[in-house]
Amino acid sequence: MIGLGYVGLPLLAAFHRAGFPTIGFDVDPDKIAALKKGESYLKHLGDTLVKELASGAKFDATLDFSRLAEADVVISCVPTPLGAHLEPDLSYVEKTAEDIAKTLRPQQLIVLESTTYPRTTREIMLPRFEATGLKCGKDFYVAYSPEREDPGRKDFNTQSIPKLVGGIDRISGELALAVYKKAIKQVIPVSSAEVAEAAKLLENIYRAVNIALVNEMKMVLDAMGIDVWEVIRAASTKPFGFQAFYPGPGLGGHCIPIDPFYLTWKAREVGMPTRFIELAGEVNRKMPEYVVNKTLLALNDRGKAMKGANILVLGLAYKPDVDDVRESPSFELIEHLETLGAEVDYHDPHVPRTHKMRHHDLQMTSIDLTPANLKAYDCVLIATHHSAYDWQLIADNSQLIVDTRNAMREVKGRRDHIVAA
Ligand SMILES: NC(=O)c1ccc[n+]([C@@H]2O[C@H](COP(=O)([O-])OP(=O)(O)OC[C@H]3O[C@@H](n4cnc5c(N)ncnc54)[C@H](O)[C@@H]3O)[C@@H](O)[C@H]2O)c1
């Protein structure tokens, strides 16, 4: 397994549990050292999984990519971020393909899992392998299988989420299907790597577009004095033809804000616009600004200026009950509030302190969430609805609450200090 992050580590564990000897490869020495010691660096996975791996004889973790030759099956789960201009950054995939090519040998099966645009496996991976003189479908095999991991989810895990598999050719697809069937409950073969690549993008674009739709509905209904959350609840009573999506302070995570633009970029090659994706991106990217504006107006209503106001942001992770802060809108909210002169702190039970990221370096530490601390802020802004939060305590002790998650829906007592955003 190459790339031992949110996707690679649980997938490696699934194959390990299925009885395969496994080797984990990563470029991050801290991750390799932690794995060797049996320590988990992904909180939501718990310690048991990593302890189980480290204590068995059939697992090793290494920085030494020459050992790729030992593997019969090589699965790559490296990052696929966006560049500064929303263009795909395939440098990790390219580097991995080059690492694999260095030790490629007959009978190896290579599978790409990273989310990416259709034809990446064929156009980026395959030529690097065939440059060795070996032939795909004859000497080695290549397939694509998109990861559908949803970290923190309790009702599905790596083994139980159905998995798509598509080969570069028929034999590669059949081999990948046979391998994944050993570790995953339901594996669905599709006719090509391209179908599997595009299916993953469709899944994520579907979410991005529908989230943008409810975010737009939220702004429109708010201007009309109608509660969007009650409207969604009402529409959800229809037993068919409607699936509920929920508004929020903006998109977060490594997938939904990023993946759709992989297709936008590739679509230009065939002269096709991707208007839904662009529009959804536009609406979703505006949400932090909308929330900041609502906060500014709520303070104004109470005779306070944003400049000099003390604001506490609740939740730094991009979704509940995980410590994943990648692309989290909370960072943008904090920076935006600070630009307007507010003094901002945050609390997140899963993120004790911030660390340097590609676009942000806040150097902040989570404050204690006590009644006295809550009372000291001019405004508490709810960005992430972690289940550890005691909403009644927050409602009872805050001067003003700006709620982007409908977290305050069940609190008792006065509500005139709660503003939906
Ligand atoms: N996180 C999710 O929920 C999720 C869900 C579905 C799909 N995906 C996709 O899976 C892929 C991986 O995402 P992730 O969330 O696991 O990322 P991650 O950042 O958690 O993990 C990636 C790992 O790859 C390592 N790495 C980077 N360059 C490397 C290299 N050249 N060789 C070996 N290792 C290298 C990093 O050190 C890191 O440990 C992405 O394409 C992502 O879009 C993620």
Side-chain angles (χ1 to χ4, degrees), residues 181-227:
K181 270 186 167 171
K182 298 275 184 198
I184 308 286
K185 279 193 195 127
Q186 192 191 354
V187 189
I188 301 132
V190 294
S191 65
S192 65
E194 285 74 20
V195 170
E197 289 165 329
K200 171 70 190 181
L201 286 188
L202 175 61
E203 291 165 19
N204 285 357
I205 291 165
Y206 172 77
R207 283 189 62 74
V209 168
N210 280 287
I211 292 168
L213 178 66
V214 283
N215 276 333
E216 188 171 82
M217 284 293 281
K218 168 177 83 167
M219 295 185 284
V220 173
L221 293 178
D222 183 61
M224 295 176 171
I226 302 167
D227 177 1

Side-chain angles (χ1 to χ4, degrees), residues 134-190:
L134 297 171
K135 281 273 153 278
C136 184
K138 182 170 151 284
D139 302 316
F140 67 93
Y141 310 94
V142 179
Y144 179 82
S145 179
E147 186 47 64
R148 289 165 156 170
E149 195 67 25
D150 187 8
R153 219 189 161 93
K154 302 277 183 272
D155 51 351
F156 283 98
N157 59 29
T158 308
Q159 281 106 328
S160 63
I161 299 171
K163 201 135 179 34
L164 298 175
V165 171
I168 283 292
D169 46 39
R170 190 188 50 79
I171 179 93
S172 294
E174 283 176 8
L175 272 174
L177 176 68
V179 169
Y180 276 88
K181 270 186 167 171
K182 298 275 184 198
I184 308 286
K185 279 193 195 127
Q186 192 191 354
V187 189
I188 301 132
V190 294

Side-chain angles (χ1 to χ4, degrees), residues 408-419:
M408 291 284 118
R409 63 189 173 276
E410 277 164 12
V411 298
K412 302 197 170 47
R414 72 185 182 96
R415 304 190 66 87
D416 58 351
H417 64 320
I418 299 170
V419 173

Side-chain angles (χ1 to χ4, degrees), residues 53-318:
L53 284 174
S55 59
K58 287 180 158 183
F59 168 73
D60 200 4
T62 182
L63 295 160
D64 176 7
F65 285 72
S66 69
R67 291 191 59 197
L68 281 170
E70 292 173 35
D72 296 313
V73 182
V74 178
I75 302 178
S76 173
C77 306
V78 293
T80 44
L82 286 176
H85 306 100
L86 297 187
E87 77 286 6
D89 174 359
L90 284 178
S91 57
Y92 301 89
V93 172
E94 287 164 358
K95 164 86 172 53
T96 299
E98 279 150 24
D99 284 337
I100 297 169
K102 278 183 204 149
T103 57
L104 190 69
R105 60 163 174 80
Q107 304 308 321
Q108 274 187 318
L109 166 68
I110 323 293
V111 186
L112 179 63
E113 289 256 350
S114 309
T115 309
T116 183
Y117 57 72
R119 297 187 70 82
T120 303
T121 313
R122 197 177 299 275
E123 291 174 356
I124 305 289
M125 305 280 281
L126 193 58
R128 287 170 165 85
F129 302 153
E130 294 210 315
T132 62
L134 297 171
K135 281 273 153 278
C136 184
K138 182 170 151 284
D139 302 316
F140 67 93
Y141 310 94
V142 179
Y144 179 82
S145 179
E147 186 47 64
R148 289 165 156 170
E149 195 67 25
D150 187 8
R153 219 189 161 93
K154 302 277 183 272
D155 51 351
F156 283 98
N157 59 29
T158 308
Q159 281 106 328
S160 63
I161 299 171
K163 201 135 179 34
L164 298 175
V165 171
I168 283 292
D169 46 39
R170 190 188 50 79
I171 179 93
S172 294
E174 283 176 8
L175 272 174
L177 176 68
V179 169
Y180 276 88
K181 270 186 167 171
K182 298 275 184 198
I184 308 286
K185 279 193 195 127
Q186 192 191 354
V187 189
I188 301 132
V190 294
S191 65
S192 65
E194 285 74 20
V195 170
E197 289 165 329
K200 171 70 190 181
L201 286 188
L202 175 61
E203 291 165 19
N204 285 357
I205 291 165
Y206 172 77
R207 283 189 62 74
V209 168
N210 280 287
I211 292 168
L213 178 66
V214 283
N215 276 333
E216 188 171 82
M217 284 293 281
K218 168 177 83 167
M219 295 185 284
V220 173
L221 293 178
D222 183 61
M224 295 176 171
I226 302 167
D227 177 1
V228 68
W229 296 92
E230 192 182 349
V231 171
I232 296 170
R233 247 191 340 269
S236 301
T237 58
K238 186 178 177 185
F240 48 85
F242 181 82
Q243 191 191 343
F245 285 83
Y246 299 97
L251 289 183
H254 187 21
C255 297
I256 314 297
I258 292 175
D259 305 343
F261 294 99
Y262 267 68
L263 189 64
T264 297
W265 184 87
K266 189 66 175 172
R268 289 194 194 111
E269 195 176 289
V270 286
M272 297 299 289
T274 51
R275 297 211 296 272
F276 273 105
I277 296 173
E278 304 275 5
L279 183 59
E282 202 180 298
V283 173
N284 288 328
R285 272 197 303 274
K286 266 186 97 71
M287 293 321 296
E289 192 185 324
Y290 173 80
V291 171
V292 167
N293 203 35
K294 289 283 286 189
T295 309
L296 188 142
L297 293 175
L299 285 165
N300 186 61
D301 272 351
R302 284 148 187 86
K304 289 182 182 172
M306 177 68 88
K307 195 177 173 81
N310 296 316
I311 298 182
L312 175 65
V313 172
L314 293 185
L316 205 61
Y318 79 93

